[in-house]
Amino acid sequence: MFTATHSKRRRGPMVNVHASEDIEFLVKESEIVTGQLGRKFVISGADQLVYMIQWYPDGYKVQRLDDEGNATSTLYVQPEELGSHSLGEALRAGQLYTPQVRH
């Protein structure tokens, strides 16, 4: 189940991500609706860290984005490895969000 909230940085309505299994669905949903690869995810907190996640059959491509949306680092992880990434920590803390996709 997804719930919408609003970001302090005017990103529009945000969806709280509740489980790691939801990430694959959310990425695919965004790709189908927008026609663009990947989906942005935000770790709420003082820094509002932004990541772009792309789904591939063999895992995820995770890119940390700067304020202009440029990738500053890229990491390839298996779904089961995502839990040890800062995204997994944010997910467990209830601090992982993604912008709501308009259908």
Side-chain angles (χ1 to χ4, degrees), residues 7-82:
S7 168
K8 295 176 186 173
R9 286 201 173 176
R10 297 186 198 138
R11 295 189 203 284
M14 302 287 279
V15 175
N16 185 224
V17 183
H18 296 285
S20 59
E21 298 81 25
D22 296 339
I23 293 174
E24 180 180 337
F25 170 82
L26 291 165
V27 170
K28 288 179 180 179
E29 173 195 46
S30 179
E31 291 179 345
I32 290 169
V33 173
T34 68
Q36 298 177 352
L37 288 178
R39 185 170 186 158
K40 290 183 182 178
F41 289 82
V42 179
I43 297 176
S44 69
D47 293 339
Q48 296 281 306
L49 301 176
V50 179
Y51 290 86
M52 174 66 74
I53 300 178
Q54 293 178 14
W55 178 85
Y56 292 94
D58 57 345
Y60 296 111
K61 177 181 177 182
V62 179
Q63 294 180 301
R64 170 76 171 85
L65 304 179
D66 63 16
D67 290 338
E68 288 79 40
N70 300 311
T72 60
S73 66
T74 301
L75 180 66
Y76 294 89
V77 298
Q78 297 295 314
E80 60 273 7
E81 297 171 330
L82 201 58

